Amino acid sequence: MIFTILGIIAIVLALILMIGMISFHQKIEKEKTALFASTKTSVLISEENLDGLSKLMKDYLIKVGVVGKPRHCNVIFRQTGTIKTDPKKDWLRFKATQYVSSENTGFIWKARAFPIFIRDKFQDHKGEVNVNLLGVKNLAVISTPETDQSSL
C-alpha cells in the first residue's frame, strides 16, 4: 500500500515537472516566433549601401560577398559552459540557445543549468531576466530600466 502511494506521488511530481518544463519552453517558442516574425528578407545589400564605409571595409565586404545578400537576418546560437547562481555556490554546467534578430534588434537567450532554467531577453526595447526552478516556480523575474540598458 505504501509503495503504491509513493509510486503515485512520484508519478504526479514527474508530471508536474514535465508540464512545467514544456510550458517554459512553449513560452520561449512564442517569444521567438514574435521576434523573428518581422524580419524582411526582400531587402538586399547593394554596393551603394556600403558607400559610407572606409575603402578597406567596403572592399572586404564586397570580397566576402555581402552584396546581394539580405540586409537583415535571424541567427540561432548554441552554447555550453558553466554559470554561478551565487558567489558562494558551485559552478553549474549549462546548455543554452540564443535567438537573435538583426532587424527587430532583439534576442532571447534560454539556458538550462539543472534544476534552473534561465531566460534572458531584449525585445521591443525592453530587457527581462527570468530565473525559474524546473519550469514550475519563478525564482526571479527582473525587468528594470537597468535591465533594458544592459540587455541592449
Side-chain angles (χ1 to χ4, degrees), residues 34 53 70 117:
L53 300 175
F117 293 155

Side-chain angles (χ1 to χ4, degrees), residues 117-136:
F117 293 155
I118 305 161
R119 195 267 289 121
D120 188 5
K121 79 172 182 174
F122 183 79
Q123 199 168 3
D124 300 324
H125 308 287
K126 296 284 182 191
E128 182 181 275
V129 178
N130 181 340
V131 180
N132 192 286
L133 179 64
L134 292 170
V136 176

Side-chain angles (χ1 to χ4, degrees), residues 41-110:
T41 57
S42 59
V43 179
L44 302 179
I45 297 173
S46 67
E47 282 196 44
E48 292 79 34
N49 296 133
L50 307 178
D51 283 344
L53 300 175
S54 69
K55 179 176 176 9
L56 181 64
M57 180 59 79
K58 184 176 178 178
D59 290 347
Y60 172 77
L61 292 173
I62 290 170
K63 185 174 183 173
V64 297
V66 300
V67 174
K69 298 288 192 275
R71 185 176 188 134
H72 298 284
C73 65
N74 298 320
V75 180
I76 300 172
F77 297 100
R78 303 220 190 287
Q79 305 163 319
T80 59
T82 56
I83 191 168
K84 270 194 173 221
T85 58
D86 185 284
K88 297 173 184 164
K89 292 187 178 178
D90 291 334
W91 289 92
L92 294 174
R93 297 184 73 55
F94 77 86
K95 289 185 178 185
T97 303
Q98 183 166 354
Y99 308 99
V100 182
S101 173
S102 68
E103 182 170 358
N104 209 7
T105 313
F107 71 86
I108 299 166
W109 185 77
K110 70 173 183 175

